[in-house]
Amino acid sequence: MSDWYRDFANSGFGTTITKQLGLPRPAVLRRYEPGEPLLPGPVVIGSAGEGRLREPLTQLLHAAGIHVQSPVTADGATDGEKPAAVILDATGLRTPGDLSSAHDFLAPAIKRLRPSGRVLLLADPPADADSPAQAAARQALDGLVRSIGKELLNGSTANLLYVAPGAEGALASPVRFFLSGRSAYVDGQVVTVTAAGVPEGEDDETPLAGKVAVVTGAARGIGAAIAKVMARDGAHVVAVDIPAAGDKLAEVANEIGGTALQLDITADDAPQRLIEHLRERHGGVDVVVHNAGITRDKLLVNMDAARWNSVMAVNLQAQLDITQALLDADGVLKPDARIVCVSSQSGIAGNRGQTNYAASKAGVIGMVRAWAPQFAERGATINAVAPGFIVTEMTAKMPFGTREVGSRINSLQQGGLPVDVAETIAWLAQPGSAGVNGQTVRVCGQSMLGA
């Protein structure tokens, strides 16, 4: 869907008017297209202290055909063109005093960052620090990166990876994601990467080749976008939705060469029916995306039990029941499986009139966090994505003022697209994302609402 204000602000006349009136000018974001390079320009890498990741980062980028520049000097000079990404290896931080070196590198480098650029910080987890001072220095990067994200212009983003010792081998997939156009609407996020076995030789174009992926709520909107991106990345998609959405579901499945399965996920026999389908038709499942969700909004004091219970049943209880059944079923859920659950910004920040919805989506985050150790024991992962304001047919029906405010109150000054959610889910579903487990990644353009 077109963003009328963004398109106007980036037109010749609109650019003049917005400058004169001091109005924001949302950028046209760099989104992923198959076959395009990881970045449209060089990368500059700097260190805070004696970092341990600079060499593996340089090797990773060289393998992707990316030129790595010399660090930017205080006067803004580099060894070439403006960088498309700025990376800081902050694994050498020992005290808050060391943060001055982060400033010294980042300030001139970011000043020269090209539009839709990427700023990526990497550090050791604060929980693994040897002293309170070291923990403070590492945690300081959290506030630093979120603030950088709110200062960047022209569609650029800033994110932080906490990389546990021994997790260097699991670093490639997260780094590629946050540098690429796949993360266009992911900004100001903090993700922890832990040590994990990662297969070698993963195809960047079709990382899900040979995988079977289930996507619930796949008939329309974000669910349909997820199904299409997963299929684009090589997966055979089992698209699931209620029988009432059967025609739309069949259209999606036919378009991507997948399988349509009409199923009410809240039915008592839904987990078993899904398991039987996966066992008999596909020999098991590699990826499950719990996307299906509903809203039944009302102020808490006016909300009846039916509204409360229906939202809990679809948004939370069905995810619990299906996931537990897959864990219990012998040989259906592959040992290195990926479960991705759709939460919401409302589950983090809350929202007036959505106590049932916000509670259910916060519950998803708690479920993911609690299950992560059990999944890790199997070599599998479970994560969540929390979308913010995503432009869909549903949001298009909102009152004009409400829709405009909702889409602008983020660092990128625009609403996201269903494909932005789908790209993040597809990344978490990749075999190379084995080091990301129990995490919740917001896809919200760094919304001003919530943490």
Side-chain angles (χ1 to χ4, degrees):
M1 298 182 183
S2 177
D3 184 329
W4 73 272
Y5 177 75
R6 182 202 62 198
D7 295 343
F8 167 75
N10 284 281
S11 67
F13 177 68
T15 299
T16 301
I17 292 298
T18 53
K19 283 184 177 179
Q20 289 176 346
L21 297 179
L23 296 174
R25 186 159 66 94
V28 177
L29 303 182
R30 173 173 64 91
R31 290 186 166 92
Y32 173 76
E33 293 292 340
E36 69 175 7
L38 178 65
L39 285 165
V43 173
V44 59
I45 302 178
S47 301
E50 296 182 5
R52 61 183 170 83
L53 296 176
R54 184 164 183 164
E55 185 58 31
L57 283 169
T58 301
Q59 293 178 0
L60 190 163
L61 293 168
H62 283 165
I66 304 299
H67 172 60
V68 178
Q69 291 181 327
S70 300
V72 182
T73 61
D75 62 0
T78 67
D79 65 353
E81 59 184 307
K82 289 185 176 182
V86 173
I87 301 178
L88 173 67
D89 175 9
T91 53
L93 289 177
R94 294 290 178 267
T95 69
D98 293 337
L99 290 166
S100 62
S101 60
H103 163 267
D104 293 344
F105 165 70
L106 289 171
I110 290 174
K111 188 178 294 185
R112 302 192 74 250
L113 189 66
R114 65 175 62 191
S116 283
R118 299 289 185 262
V119 177
L120 185 61
L121 278 58
L122 299 96
D124 289 297
D128 298 339
D130 296 330
S131 68
Q134 188 176 59
R138 293 175 178 179
Q139 189 66 45
L141 296 173
D142 187 303
L144 175 63
V145 78
R146 295 179 194 274
S147 298
I148 290 172
K150 292 178 179 179
E151 293 181 1
L152 292 173
L153 302 173
N154 300 320
S156 296
T157 63
N159 294 283
L160 168 63
L161 292 175
Y162 281 126
V163 184
E168 292 81 0
L171 194 56
S173 177
V175 168
R176 286 198 301 264
F177 172 73
F178 281 111
L179 295 182
S180 75
R182 295 176 187 264
S183 61
Y185 204 61
V186 181
D187 193 16
Q189 294 303 290
V190 180
V191 172
T192 298
V193 183
T194 57
V198 174
E200 296 182 1
E202 184 173 287
D203 186 343
D204 291 344
E205 294 291 320
T206 55
L208 299 179
K211 304 294 185 183
V212 174
V214 169
V215 180
T216 67
R220 58 176 58 84
I222 292 174
I226 296 167
K228 292 173 184 177
V229 169
M230 301 284 270
R232 180 205 68 194
D233 285 358
H236 178 89
V237 177
V238 179
V240 178
D241 217 314
I242 57 175
D247 290 343
K248 289 287 187 181
L249 184 67
E251 289 180 14
V252 172
N254 289 337
E255 180 181 345
I256 63 176
T259 303
L261 176 62
Q262 296 183 21
L263 181 68
D264 178 354
I265 61 171
T266 65
D268 291 340
D269 64 344
Q272 192 55 41
R273 285 182 57 195
L274 178 61
I275 286 170
E276 290 174 358
H277 175 89
L278 293 171
R279 180 180 284 129
E280 294 171 5
R281 295 282 299 275
H282 306 287
V285 66
D286 302 279
V287 180
V288 177
V289 181
H290 290 299
N291 166 73
I294 62 172
T295 58
R296 298 290 184 268
D297 296 351
K298 210 78 169 176
L299 293 177
L300 179 64
V301 295
N302 299 324
M303 186 176 297
D304 55 63
R307 288 176 183 267
W308 181 275
N309 293 335
S310 61
V311 168
M312 288 295 173
V314 176
N315 296 4
L316 182 56
Q317 192 62 52
Q319 294 194 26
L320 283 160
D321 292 344
I322 290 173
T323 303
Q324 187 62 61
L326 287 167
L327 287 168
D328 293 341
D330 186 32
V332 176
L333 191 67
K334 299 296 179 63
D336 57 351
R338 303 283 182 264
I339 306 290
V340 187
C341 307
V342 177
S343 177
S344 170
Q345 175 183 296
S346 294
I348 297 170
N351 202 15
R352 187 177 188 273
Q354 288 196 320
T355 51
N356 52 355
Y357 183 78
S360 69
K361 293 302 187 178
V364 168
I365 295 172
M367 174 190 75
V368 163
R369 189 181 299 129
W371 248 326
Q374 183 177 346
F375 274 78
E377 292 174 358
R378 301 167 61 107
T381 67
I382 182 168
N383 293 286
V385 296
F389 191 97
I390 305 299
V391 179
T392 63
E393 293 180 5
M394 181 178 70
T395 60
K397 297 176 182 177
M398 288 180 172
F400 176 80
T402 302
R403 184 175 69 248
E404 284 302 301
V405 171
S407 65
R408 305 300 171 197
I409 52 173
N410 59 72
S411 296
L412 297 173
Q413 302 174 334
Q414 60 191 285
L417 301 179
V419 70
D420 297 322
V421 181
E423 294 285 13
T424 306
I425 289 172
W427 162 59
L428 291 169
Q430 293 178 9
S433 299
V436 182
N437 188 28
Q439 306 284 298
T440 298
V441 181
R442 288 177 62 168
V443 186
C444 63
Q446 198 184 18
S447 173
M448 304 304 177
L449 300 177

